[in-house]
Amino acid sequence: MATEELMRLAGANADGGELVVGVAEPDSPSTSWRRLSVSKFLEIPVEGSEWTLRLSSHVAGMIREETARFPNVETGGLLIGSCSSLMKTVTVVDLIEAPEDSVRTPTLFVLGTKGMKNRIDARFEESGRSLLDVGTWHSHLAEQGPSPTDRKTAKQVAVERAPPAILSHCHSSHVPCHHASGRAMNDYLDAYSIKARLAPAALAIAPVIVLIVLAFNWVQPSLPEAIIGLAVMVLFFAASNVARRLGKRKERQLFATTGGRPENRELNHLDKTLDERTKDRYRKFLAKQLEQPAPTRDMEVEDPDEAAAFYVQCYNWLRENTRDTEKFRILFNENIAYGYYRNLLALKPYGIVLNLLTIAAAAAIIYYKPDFACCRG
């Protein structure tokens, strides 16, 4: 029977597919079969890479419904699926709707964060730990390709997370993601990566590099020296990625011991960081961008959660609209400085261990004078 099912599926319509589940009866030789139809996936090339985005018809329908709910503003959400580095594909099988603190305007969509981590974790567990967040999507009111903001966001995502990650957009009246603006995110040698990741990693492994340079014979280099030279180059890039991961972990540890991520309170009426006129000017500007009224002093007292939600949207808008590293050079340099010191702090214990091991290795080389060492004889 199983062979017959496979033969039938092989000759089925190529526009779709089926999942066939056979369950053997415990007390008889018969098998009961259950068939689930699977529509053909949409395949969209990912801009700037060899990757392909595979979008299920179910997800395409969900995106159409979401854009229909918000015909006059941009909207979006989170893409759920899996990645295959072997096949170079990102497969999307579900969505998570935008949380309530998201910002929707005719020219901008900012995905909120309220409750998003818990929803991602729950979806991950429900899928048997197989489905992850693989990127985001948002709509455009006008038929166009990726906007300058989209491209800047894609570059920022490349800095913040390992590839691949998808940033997808669609026009509200067309098939979702007719033009995919996703990226493989492999721009590793940007200014942030060099200064905030590679530099701390270089300091941490510097003793090992110095030992290799001093201990080996580089006057007449042979195959071992060539292999070591190549390994050192690979070590630099590997250490850069490790520095980022350890830095993010250290950041979570710091937040856990200091009451969570610092809240931005500078715009609150009761906060004294800025003078009242400056805060009033900032609130009016941001309220205009968000198309929402700014909370008054009385509103902050009567409904602090609602006021806090407005300020969260303000800072989300600011983050999305200050990603131009040339235009906002001072802010970009501050981000680099923060990333540098955070990653350096995370690498501190590992750097100390490497220093001690290097001292021990140098002492052993001097004492035993191995054949490969330049100091022999």
Side-chain angles (χ1 to χ4, degrees):
M1 182 65 180
T3 303
E4 293 175 1
E5 286 294 328
L6 291 174
M7 293 298 293
R8 186 185 66 79
L9 289 174
N13 191 340
D15 291 335
E18 280 187 340
L19 291 177
V20 180
V21 181
V23 180
E25 300 294 339
D27 300 322
S28 70
S30 62
T31 302
S32 59
W33 295 89
R34 183 185 178 191
R35 296 178 177 84
L36 301 173
S37 297
V38 179
S39 301
K40 187 176 181 179
F41 277 61
L42 302 176
E43 294 192 355
I44 307 156
V46 175
E47 179 185 308
S49 77
E50 300 177 351
W51 287 72
T52 299
L53 172 64
R54 300 183 69 248
L55 193 73
S56 74
S57 298
H58 169 66
V59 170
M62 293 174 66
I63 292 178
R64 288 192 186 95
E65 292 176 2
E66 179 69 8
T67 54
R69 287 177 55 203
F70 300 94
N72 300 319
V73 293
E74 293 188 1
T75 187
L78 195 71
L79 303 173
I80 298 296
S82 61
C83 300
S84 171
S85 57
L86 179 63
M87 302 299 294
K88 291 190 179 299
T89 59
V90 178
T91 302
V92 179
V93 297
D94 200 2
L95 298 179
I96 292 181
E97 292 183 357
E100 60 185 35
D101 61 332
S102 299
V103 178
R104 294 180 176 90
T105 73
T107 58
L108 177 71
F109 171 75
V110 180
L111 184 65
T113 59
K114 187 175 182 180
M116 186 63 83
K117 183 179 184 302
N118 291 337
R119 295 166 71 183
I120 293 172
D121 291 342
R123 190 67 183 88
F124 178 62
E125 295 296 334
E126 291 170 0
S127 67
R129 296 176 169 261
S130 61
L131 296 180
L132 308 167
D133 62 304
V134 295
T136 65
W137 75 273
H138 69 275
S139 63
H140 285 172
L141 298 186
E143 184 176 359
Q144 63 184 61
S147 67
T149 301
D150 294 338
R151 296 185 184 279
K152 292 170 189 173
T153 303
K155 291 181 179 180
Q156 183 67 21
V157 173
V159 171
E160 295 175 352
R161 64 182 291 174
I166 296 296
L167 174 66
S168 183
H169 79 276
C170 62
H171 180 233
S172 57
S173 64
H174 283 172
V175 174
C177 306
H178 182 68
H179 304 284
S181 60
R183 298 251 176 137
M185 312 301 187
N186 55 1
D187 299 327
Y188 295 109
L189 295 179
D190 58 277
Y192 184 92
S193 295
I194 293 173
K195 296 178 181 179
R197 297 176 184 168
L198 191 57
L203 286 176
I205 65 175
V208 179
I209 305 302
V210 171
L211 178 64
I212 292 174
V213 171
L214 295 179
F216 285 82
N217 180 16
W218 299 99
V219 178
Q220 295 179 332
S222 58
L223 181 59
E225 282 77 14
I227 295 175
I228 291 171
L230 180 61
V232 168
M233 294 177 62
V234 174
L235 181 62
F236 267 111
F237 286 98
S240 174
N241 188 47
V242 170
R244 173 189 176 275
R245 294 178 181 275
L246 292 177
K248 298 293 285 186
R249 187 171 70 180
K250 172 59 70 173
E251 183 180 69
R252 291 193 294 271
Q253 292 173 352
L254 290 173
F255 289 163
T257 57
T258 56
R261 181 181 294 274
E263 296 183 14
N264 300 109
R265 300 180 179 273
E266 294 85 353
L267 293 179
N268 290 43
H269 286 274
L270 300 179
D271 189 89
K272 302 300 182 182
T273 304
L274 303 173
D275 63 88
E276 285 300 323
R277 290 186 178 181
T278 300
K279 289 193 293 184
D280 187 55
R281 187 171 72 251
Y282 290 167
R283 282 192 294 264
K284 287 181 178 178
F285 171 80
L286 291 167
K288 182 179 179 181
Q289 305 307 313
L290 298 175
E291 299 182 348
Q292 297 182 29
T296 63
R297 181 185 294 267
D298 292 339
M299 291 172 61
E300 287 185 5
V301 175
E302 294 172 1
D303 194 348
D305 292 339
E306 184 67 23
F310 172 81
Y311 293 128
V312 167
Q313 293 184 57
C314 288
Y315 287 105
N316 285 343
W317 186 92
L318 287 170
R319 275 191 292 270
E320 291 300 321
N321 287 273
T322 55
R323 296 188 186 277
D324 189 330
T325 58
E326 295 298 328
K327 186 176 180 180
F328 302 99
R329 172 60 61 178
I330 295 177
L331 177 61
F332 181 57
N333 288 337
E334 288 296 321
N335 284 335
I336 289 177
Y338 170 77
Y340 171 83
Y341 288 111
R342 181 200 67 188
N343 295 339
L344 195 62
L345 178 62
L347 288 170
K348 179 181 177 180
Y350 301 92
I352 292 174
V353 172
L354 279 177
N355 271 275
L356 295 176
L357 291 176
T358 301
I359 293 172
I365 290 173
I366 293 173
Y367 183 80
Y368 292 105
K369 295 182 174 58
D371 292 339
F372 65 81
C374 64
C375 59
R376 64 183 181 275

